């Protein structure tokens, strides 16, 4: 225990604690100084002063004082507790837990320390320790509801749902018959529903349903009650009762897809993969027809049958569904139906139907078989849908024709320009896509979504400076680029990182990709405050769902993409260290250019230092806390690319991908690349086996397989015991690889081509490996690629056919010819050939791309490269404060 202070100083110490709790840090600091004047070595006061300084962003002083406090009074639980709080504020949770445990050795029954420890254990998923701490809290204070609930939740998280139910039942045994009072009805309802969900999770469906019926009078959330009851009845096989309940739920909300799914399960007409027999389709059609008569205004009851209906019945149903939406002018109609394009025949039916509608509206002004005249806008939205349809199918020329006709029909509809921008992006003209997106943005400067879409298109076209200027129009005043970071704008970080990577600026690219990782760390840390809040507010089901969500947080797409691209940056750094690359670049420059680059670097450094000094000199709030955001010491990521071991950094993110995205090909492809560079042969082989397991016919899987066994087959004989062990493992495992059973690598490569002779990407993989295995067969490799045939039809050809080759695959093949096979003539021939297939592609310099001198986007492209605002049909003026004054004199003629 801490040394006892005289009464006056003891009261001052209480004032320090109160000031800390009320965030009056200056007042607390003053009281601490008064005590330390008389008792300069008082450990608890030193610790509290350090804690107060920590809240004023004076961390170095804070740690010094708190550690001195612990040293002076090592047997004080307060000192250890404060040190734990300090570590917790810096997210050093493991160190904080150690400090709390030291504090509890001194004062094992301290409720406050136990509560803080339990929060950290929940955060770190130390579930056995969490159970132990919550049980101790309950033992010390059994009359507190939150302790009972906390103990039950801890058992649930520790995969012991039945024990959690027992705890909740024991807690209910302590309650009076008239519990709960009016002001606690919602919390008690949540506890009952949580208990029922625990019984359901443990498989006790009968008991869960009995509990639900028994406690019905005390449940105020009647909707959740009905949903839970229907689910339990369905799981118990009481399908008729469950069906009646789902019908009741549908009468309450006929647009809830989950209720239709539950109803189908009750009728034994539900399939996880969406495949149904003819008899099932007839029954489902009858069901949804009767439901559509009941719920005439429901869109779900009309949309859901489109997923299972086939052929003529599908054509009839989809026609009824889309006609009123085209008449009304619903821009999101294509997005609604986009999932139908995964079905082999439905896109053809849609195309036929829409084409018939378009022709009928043009000739008669009404839909086929109807005498009702449609408004002129119906043709516009039909063309709008068809443009997206042809874009989805890769028929970009037809899509552009339809969207241009729609724009000519009504040039004031913003969605038309956005869709045309998207089509141009898919067609390969990113500059034109950015220009069109900017045109759409200028038509409605108050629309944040259109502004964001424009920014993304600019970044895809590598117009980074212009994209930044456009993005900050919707941020707060001040440091606007950092505002985007504070808003966790991950799509922006990824898109700008991609752009920098394409331009070879690995520092800034890494900066952006690692910013996404920082956002995910922040989201993970944000759960901390909910560990106590959710128990206090009794939002137990949502709390458990949130914890499960947090456990799979790093499996979400944004993190997956950022981690993959960060690893690729580190691979590039490893293969071409910056110092060597810089020397090569600088050696090519003239002396005047070298001097200019040095001056620019010096100026940038000076500006960064100036900003740092300016921010440091800014004011301090009344509480004593500095209201200053730390200045980024490395705004351009220069320190990031000076890392000594890029592969060690890459391995950090690789481990996260392996843990959270084990079913992704990219994860194991990067694992192969990283481990081959690190000479971790067995780990590389493990990655190859995973690639073959996930998709053995993927071109990248084939490349990795050949590269691995070529590398291991050409190395010298093993000498050390470790090398001999590795080689014996490989020899034992090689027969398990079916692609190489009794075959050489050359034979395996030929068989791979034979299986995929009609696929461009597979032929390219074969050619690359053929050249790798035998460089003398370079001519044969090139011929294999050039002999590839593309299935192409004219836009007026058979319905549903389009260009088979994809633009990105053709670009990859061109890079293969140019950089790997190193044949500029073959690369040039390929470029000329692909320019015919993709006339809008800027990469292949197609005749309709923006790189052509006569292109309408050519002038804007040049101005964008210089960082100027493009001069389109819509004009904007920018004010000094960053806001836009636009369209003052704009008039639209109708």
């Amino acid at each position: 225990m801490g040394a006892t202070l005289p009464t006056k100083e003891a009261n001052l110490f209480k004032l320090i604690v109160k000031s800390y709790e009320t965030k009056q840090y200056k007042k607390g600091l003053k009281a601490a100084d008064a005590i330390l004047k008389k008792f300069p070595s008082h450990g608890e006061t030193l610790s509290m002063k350090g804690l107060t300084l920590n809240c004023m962003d004076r961390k170095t002083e804070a740690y010094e004082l708190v550690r001195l406090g612990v040293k002076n009074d090592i047997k004080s639980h307060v000192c250890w507790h404060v040190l734990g709080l300090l570590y917790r504020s810096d997210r050093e949770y493991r160190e904080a837990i150690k400090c709390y445990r030291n504090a509890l050795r001194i004062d094992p029954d301290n409720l406050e320390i136990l509560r803080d420890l339990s929060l950290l254990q929940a955060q770190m998923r130390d579930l056995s320790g969490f159970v132990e701490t919550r049980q101790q809290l309950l033992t010390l204070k059994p009359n507190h509801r939150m302790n009972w609930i906390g103990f039950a939740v801890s058992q649930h998280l520790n995969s012991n749902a039945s024990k959690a139910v027992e705890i909740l039942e024991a807690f209910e045994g302590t309650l009076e018959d008239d519990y709960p009072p009016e002001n606690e009805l919602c919390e008690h309802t949540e506890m009952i529903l949580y208990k029922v969900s625990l019984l359901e999770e443990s498989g006790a469906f009968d008991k869960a349903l009995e509990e639900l019926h028994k406690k019905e009078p005390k449940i105020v959330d009647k909707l959740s009650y009905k949903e839970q009851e229907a689910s339990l009845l369905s799981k118990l096989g009481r399908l008729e009762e469950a069906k009646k309940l789902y019908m009741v739920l549908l009468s309450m909300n006929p647009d809830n897809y989950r209720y239709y799914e539950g109803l189908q399960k009750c009728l034994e007409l539900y399939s996880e993969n969406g495949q149904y027999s003819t008899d099932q389709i007839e029954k489902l059609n009858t069901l949804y027809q009767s439901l559509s008569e009941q719920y005439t205004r429901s869109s779900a009851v009309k949309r859901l049958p489109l997923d299972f209906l086939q052929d003529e019945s599908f054509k009839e149903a989809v026609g009824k569904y889309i006609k009123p939406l085209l008449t009304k002018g619903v821009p999101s109609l294509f997005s609604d139906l986009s999932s139908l394009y995964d079905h082999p025949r439905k896109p053809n039916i849609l195309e036929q139907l829409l084409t018939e509608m378009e022709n009928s509206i043009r000739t008669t002004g009404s839909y086929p078989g109807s005498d009702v005249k449609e408004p002129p806008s119906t043709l516009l939205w039909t063309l709008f849908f068809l443009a997206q349809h042809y874009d989805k199918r890769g028929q970009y020329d037809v899509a552009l024709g339809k969207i241009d006709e729609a724009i000519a029909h009504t040039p004031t509809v913003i969605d038309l320009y956005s869709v045309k921008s998207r089509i141009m992006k898919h067609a390969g003209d990113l500059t034109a896509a950015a220009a069109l997106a900017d045109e759409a943005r200028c038509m409605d400067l108050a629309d944040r979504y259109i502004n964001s879409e424009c920014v993304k298109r600019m970044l895809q076209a590598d117009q980074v400076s212009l994209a930044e200027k456009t993005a900050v129009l919707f941020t707060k005043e001040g440091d606007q680029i950092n505002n985007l970071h504070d808003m966790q704008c991950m799509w922006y970080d990824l898109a700008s990182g991609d752009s920098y990577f394409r331009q070879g600026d690995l520092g800034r690219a890494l900066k952006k990709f690692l910013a996404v990782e920082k956002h995910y760390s922040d989201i993970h840390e944000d759960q901390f405050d909910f560990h106590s809040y959710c128990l206090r507010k009794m939002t137990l089901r949502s709390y458990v769902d949130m914890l499960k969500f947090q456990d799979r947080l790093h499996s979400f797409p944004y993190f997956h993409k950022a981690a993959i691209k960060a690893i690729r940056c580190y691979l590039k750094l490893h293969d071409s260290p910056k110092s060597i690359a810089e020397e090569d670049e600088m050696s090519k420059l003239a002396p005047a250019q070298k001097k200019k680059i040095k001056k620019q670097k010096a100026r940038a450094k000076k500006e960064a230092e100036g900003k740092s000094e300016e921010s440091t000199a800014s004011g301090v709030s009344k509480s004593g806390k500095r209201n200053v955001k730390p200045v980024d010491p490395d705004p351009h990521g220069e320190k990031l690319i000076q890392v000594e071991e890029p592969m060690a950094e890459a391995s950090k993110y690789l481990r996260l991908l392996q843990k959270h995205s084990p079913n992704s090909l990219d994860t194991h492809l990067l694992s192969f690349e990283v481990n081959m560079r690190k000479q971790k042969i067995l780990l590389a082989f493990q990655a190859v086996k995973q690639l073959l397991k996930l998709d053995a016919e993927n071109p990248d899987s084939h490349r990795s397989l050949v590269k691995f066994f070529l590398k291991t087959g050409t190395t010298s004989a093993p000498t050390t015991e470790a090398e001999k062990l590795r080689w014996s493992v490989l020899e034992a495992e090689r027969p398990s690889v079916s692609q190489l059973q009794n075959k050489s690598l050359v034979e395996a490569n030929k068989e791979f081509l034979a299986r995929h002779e009609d696929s461009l990407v597979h032929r390219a993989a074969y050619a690359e490996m053929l050249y790798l295995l035998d460089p003398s067969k370079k001519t044969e490799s090139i011929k294999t690629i050039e002999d590839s045939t593309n299935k192409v039809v004219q836009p007026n050809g058979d319905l549903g056919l389009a260009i088979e080759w994809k633009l990105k695959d053709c670009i990859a093949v061109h890079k293969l010819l140019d950089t790997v096979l190193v044949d500029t003539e073959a690369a040039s021939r390929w470029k000329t050939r692909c320019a015919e297939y993709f006339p809008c592609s800027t990469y292949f310099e197609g005749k309709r791309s923006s790189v052509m001198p006569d292109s309408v986007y050519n002038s804007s492209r040049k101005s964008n490269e210089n960082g100027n605002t493009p001069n389109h049909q819509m004009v904007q003026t920018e004010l000094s404060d960053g806001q836009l004054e636009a369209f003052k004199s704009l008039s639209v003629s109708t």
Side-chain angles (χ1 to χ4, degrees):
M1 200 60 152
T4 307
L5 290 169
T7 306
K8 182 182 176 183
E9 281 71 24
N11 290 332
L12 281 173
F13 186 81
K14 289 176 184 176
L15 180 62
I16 300 170
V17 176
K18 187 178 178 182
S19 300
Y20 167 74
E21 290 170 350
T22 55
K23 299 184 179 179
Q24 295 177 302
Y25 303 126
K26 281 189 174 181
K27 192 175 179 181
L29 211 55
K30 190 177 178 182
D33 288 336
I35 297 174
L36 293 172
K37 198 170 183 180
K38 289 187 177 180
F39 304 96
S41 60
H42 188 252
E44 293 181 357
T45 305
L46 286 167
S47 296
M48 284 306 300
K49 182 181 178 181
L51 187 60
T52 305
L53 288 172
N54 182 60
C55 296
M56 298 167 72
D57 293 333
R58 292 160 64 179
K59 287 190 176 293
T60 308
E61 296 174 67
Y63 272 102
E64 287 175 0
L65 284 169
V66 174
R67 283 172 180 145
L68 182 60
V70 172
K71 184 180 178 182
N72 289 347
D73 198 349
I74 201 167
K75 292 187 177 180
S76 166
H77 69 274
V78 173
C79 295
W80 282 110
H81 189 193
V82 168
L83 184 57
L85 291 173
L86 224 61
Y87 280 125
R88 191 183 81 177
S89 70
D90 287 336
R91 300 180 180 179
E92 296 282 349
Y93 295 138
R94 296 192 188 283
E95 293 299 318
I97 287 173
K98 289 178 187 176
C99 293
Y100 289 158
R101 290 197 181 281
N102 283 334
L104 287 170
R105 287 192 188 98
I106 299 161
D107 187 2
D109 295 339
N110 190 299
L111 291 171
E112 191 176 349
I113 300 172
L114 284 168
R115 272 196 297 269
D116 284 347
L117 176 60
S118 72
L119 299 181
L120 289 182
Q121 288 167 330
Q123 179 77 6
M124 298 299 292
R125 302 295 190 272
D126 175 13
L127 299 179
S128 57
F130 185 41
V131 169
E132 185 183 328
T133 305
R134 293 306 319 188
Q135 184 173 14
Q136 195 173 349
L137 278 165
L138 177 61
T139 305
L140 291 170
K141 205 167 184 182
N143 60 341
H144 192 24
R145 181 186 68 183
M146 187 173 165
N147 289 339
W148 285 95
I149 302 302
F151 187 34
V153 169
S154 69
Q155 291 286 1
H156 180 202
L157 295 177
N158 201 32
S159 305
N160 197 347
S162 56
K163 185 69 175 176
V165 171
E166 291 175 16
I167 295 162
L168 290 175
E169 286 176 346
F171 171 63
E172 287 174 334
T174 66
L175 303 176
E176 297 177 1
D177 293 337
D178 59 347
Y179 188 87
E182 286 290 327
N183 63 336
E184 291 185 20
L185 278 171
C186 291
E187 287 88 345
H188 193 65
T189 293
E190 182 62 33
M191 189 189 79
I192 294 168
L193 291 173
Y194 176 62
K195 181 182 174 184
V196 171
S197 71
L198 287 172
L199 289 166
E200 183 181 13
E201 188 178 314
S202 59
F205 302 130
D206 282 319
K207 194 173 179 183
L209 187 62
E210 182 187 342
E211 180 73 14
L212 197 65
H213 288 157
K214 181 181 173 184
K215 300 289 175 62
E216 181 185 3
K218 294 186 177 182
I219 297 175
V220 293
D221 187 352
K222 297 301 180 186
L223 179 63
S224 293
Y225 172 83
K226 285 184 171 65
E227 289 176 342
Q228 188 76 59
E229 186 182 13
S231 173
L232 289 168
L233 286 168
S234 178
K235 287 177 179 177
L236 284 166
R238 294 159 63 175
L239 301 180
E240 194 60 36
E241 295 173 70
K243 175 190 166 185
K244 290 177 183 176
L245 262 177
Y246 277 117
M247 292 301 291
V248 172
L249 287 167
L250 281 171
S251 67
M252 297 167 68
N253 182 3
D255 282 309
N256 191 314
Y257 278 46
R258 288 189 296 111
Y259 298 162
Y260 290 103
E261 182 185 315
L263 182 60
Q264 284 181 222
K265 285 178 178 176
C266 293
L267 296 169
E268 298 180 348
L269 294 173
Y270 181 74
S271 170
E272 290 287 346
N273 59 11
Q275 301 295 318
Y276 297 95
S277 66
T278 307
D279 183 50
Q280 286 177 317
I281 289 172
E282 287 178 8
K283 289 179 180 178
L284 281 170
N285 195 20
T286 305
L287 169 67
Y288 278 96
Q289 281 179 355
S290 65
L291 289 171
S292 63
E293 291 170 6
Q294 282 181 265
Y295 311 116
T296 53
R297 301 187 66 180
S298 167
S299 62
V301 78
K302 298 168 190 169
R303 171 63 184 84
L304 282 167
L306 303 183
D307 291 330
F308 59 78
L309 289 175
Q310 306 289 335
D311 303 325
E312 285 302 316
S313 55
F314 169 76
K315 185 176 179 181
E316 182 185 351
V318 78
K320 288 179 182 177
Y321 182 74
I322 66 177
K323 283 175 185 177
L325 298 177
L326 288 174
T327 302
K328 191 183 289 185
V330 177
S332 61
L333 176 59
F334 183 80
S335 298
D336 182 21
L337 298 180
S338 60
S339 60
L340 299 176
Y341 284 77
D342 296 331
H343 192 279
R345 295 193 300 275
K346 289 181 181 179
N348 293 349
I349 296 171
L350 273 171
E351 185 172 322
Q352 185 182 4
L353 178 67
L354 267 295
T355 307
E356 289 172 4
M357 286 184 185
E358 179 195 3
N359 294 333
S360 179
I361 293 167
R362 286 183 192 279
T363 53
T364 66
S366 57
Y367 289 124
S370 172
D371 297 329
V372 180
K373 292 291 180 183
E374 292 295 320
S377 62
T378 305
L379 177 60
L380 165 73
W381 295 109
T382 304
L383 291 167
F384 182 71
F385 188 99
L386 277 169
Q388 295 174 88
H389 165 83
Y390 286 117
D391 176 44
K392 180 83 172 176
R393 311 205 76 184
Q395 294 176 257
Y396 305 122
D397 288 346
V398 191
L400 286 169
K402 296 296 180 186
I403 201 68
D404 283 339
E405 190 178 348
I407 290 171
H409 184 284
T410 312
T412 55
V413 178
I414 300 173
D415 297 284
L416 302 179
Y417 297 90
S418 295
V419 164
K420 186 174 181 182
S421 169
R422 202 172 302 128
I423 294 168
M424 292 303 290
K425 183 195 83 166
H426 296 155
D429 196 337
L430 299 175
T431 304
L436 285 160
D438 194 43
E439 194 164 335
R441 178 187 71 83
C442 291
M443 293 172 76
D444 186 356
L445 295 168
D447 192 316
R448 182 171 179 165
Y449 172 78
I450 296 173
N451 187 82
S452 298
E453 192 172 41
C454 174
V455 170
K456 194 168 186 179
R457 295 284 175 267
M458 288 173 173
L459 290 170
Q460 287 165 348
D462 294 338
Q463 300 167 6
V464 181
S465 60
L466 186 58
E468 285 182 359
K469 290 176 186 176
T470 308
V472 298
L473 295 173
F474 279 85
T475 59
K476 295 177 183 178
E477 296 299 324
D479 191 358
Q480 294 175 314
I481 296 298
N482 276 340
N483 284 335
L484 286 170
H485 179 82
D486 294 339
M487 289 188 290
Q488 298 182 338
C489 198
M490 287 185 265
W491 66 264
Y492 178 83
D493 288 327
L494 282 172
S496 54
D498 281 338
S499 179
Y500 286 128
F501 185 79
R502 286 190 296 271
Q503 296 175 65
D505 190 342
L506 293 182
R508 291 187 179 184
L510 262 177
K511 188 82 177 173
K512 293 297 182 182
F513 296 144
L514 298 188
V516 175
E517 192 270 337
K518 174 69 166 58
H519 296 325
Y520 272 84
S521 296
D522 291 341
I523 294 168
H524 181 74
E525 296 302 329
D526 287 343
Q527 69 175 300
F528 186 84
D529 294 331
F530 292 94
H531 296 310
S532 58
Y533 174 85
C534 290
L535 295 181
R536 191 170 67 252
K537 294 292 184 181
M538 293 289 284
T539 55
L540 306 177
R541 291 176 299 162
S542 299
Y543 174 59
V544 172
D545 287 344
M546 184 270 291
L547 293 181
K548 290 177 181 177
F549 162 79
Q550 289 283 353
D551 288 341
R552 64 178 192 277
L553 183 66
H554 288 86
S555 64
F556 282 77
Y558 277 146
F559 178 82
H560 183 73
K561 291 175 185 175
I564 284 171
K565 288 165 183 176
I567 292 171
R568 293 200 188 283
C569 286
Y570 285 121
L571 288 173
K572 207 165 184 179
L573 283 173
H574 177 270
D575 295 342
S576 177
K578 187 175 185 297
S579 55
I580 299 170
E582 272 188 347
E583 285 173 13
D584 291 344
E585 284 294 320
M586 292 293 280
S587 64
K588 295 174 187 175
L589 298 175
Q593 287 177 307
K594 291 180 184 177
K595 192 174 181 182
K596 186 179 178 182
I597 289 170
K598 285 179 182 177
K599 279 185 178 179
Q600 285 175 345
K601 287 183 178 178
R603 193 184 304 121
K605 188 177 180 182
K606 194 173 181 182
E607 284 176 6
E609 287 172 357
K611 284 182 183 177
S612 178
E613 288 171 9
E614 185 183 331
S615 64
T616 307
S618 57
V620 177
S621 67
K622 288 182 181 178
S623 66
K625 186 165 182 171
R626 297 174 187 272
N627 294 321
V628 180
K629 289 184 180 178
V631 174
D632 189 351
D634 186 25
H636 303 311
E638 291 177 359
K639 292 180 181 176
L640 291 173
I641 56 176
Q642 291 169 2
V643 61
E644 291 183 4
E645 296 182 17
M647 288 300 94
E649 294 298 318
S651 297
K652 292 179 188 176
Y653 298 101
L654 181 60
R655 283 191 290 271
L656 284 170
L657 286 176
Q658 288 172 326
K659 180 179 179 182
H660 297 285
S661 302
N663 295 323
S664 167
L665 274 175
D666 284 324
T667 297
H668 303 293
L669 185 62
L670 289 171
S671 174
F672 171 75
E673 296 286 348
V674 169
N675 287 307
M676 285 299 281
R677 285 167 173 80
K678 291 171 69 177
Q679 301 296 316
K680 302 284 186 182
I681 300 299
L682 293 182
L683 289 175
F685 182 57
Q686 186 183 56
V688 170
K689 291 192 74 174
Q690 286 296 327
L691 285 167
L692 296 175
K693 182 181 177 182
L694 289 172
D695 188 356
E697 301 305 316
N698 187 281
D700 288 324
S701 300
H702 177 68
R703 285 189 184 96
S704 301
L705 175 69
V706 174
K707 286 179 182 178
F708 178 79
F709 281 102
L710 179 64
K711 171 75 175 175
T712 54
T714 54
T715 52
S716 56
T719 53
T720 65
E721 288 300 319
E723 287 176 354
K724 288 176 182 177
L725 181 61
R726 281 198 295 268
W727 253 248
S728 64
V729 171
L730 290 178
E731 287 299 317
E733 286 288 330
R734 178 163 177 153
S736 67
V737 181
S738 60
Q739 289 81 355
L740 296 179
Q741 284 179 353
N742 302 318
K743 300 183 198 85
S744 66
L745 291 177
V746 173
E747 290 170 337
N749 198 33
K750 284 180 181 176
E751 284 195 6
F752 180 77
L753 176 64
R755 291 197 301 272
H756 306 283
E757 204 163 355
D758 296 331
S759 168
L760 173 64
V761 291
H762 290 82
R763 291 177 75 91
Y766 163 80
E768 184 182 350
M769 293 302 101
L770 178 64
Y771 176 67
L772 186 67
L773 292 166
D774 187 356
S776 65
K777 293 188 177 180
K778 176 179 174 179
T779 307
E780 186 183 338
S781 298
I782 294 169
K783 188 175 183 302
T784 302
I785 293 173
E786 292 187 329
D787 286 348
S788 303
T789 55
N790 190 11
K791 294 177 183 177
V792 185
V793 295
Q794 297 302 317
N796 296 325
D798 295 334
L799 290 174
L801 292 178
I803 295 172
E804 186 185 61
W805 289 356
K806 303 300 179 189
L807 176 60
K808 65 176 184 178
D809 296 334
C810 291
I811 291 172
V813 169
H814 180 264
K815 289 178 179 177
L816 171 66
L817 289 167
D818 192 33
T819 59
V820 179
L821 299 177
V822 197
D823 191 317
T824 53
E825 290 183 7
S828 179
R829 290 195 299 270
W830 183 259
K831 188 173 184 178
T832 305
R833 185 179 176 184
C834 290
E836 295 176 8
Y837 298 141
F838 305 100
C840 295
S841 169
T842 52
Y843 184 88
F844 292 118
E845 298 179 2
K847 60 186 177 182
R848 293 204 297 276
S849 69
S850 60
V851 296
M852 292 293 103
D854 58 343
S855 170
V856 293
Y857 303 106
N858 190 262
S859 59
S860 67
R861 181 174 180 270
K862 288 177 182 175
S863 64
N864 288 345
E865 286 172 353
N866 296 325
N868 300 322
T869 305
N871 182 24
H872 303 308
Q873 297 169 9
M874 301 294 175
V875 183
Q876 65 183 37
T877 57
E878 192 169 340
L879 302 179
S880 59
D881 62 354
Q883 301 301 314
L884 287 176
E885 180 186 14
F887 307 125
K888 281 189 175 179
S889 59
L890 178 65
S891 61
V892 180
S893 57
T894 56

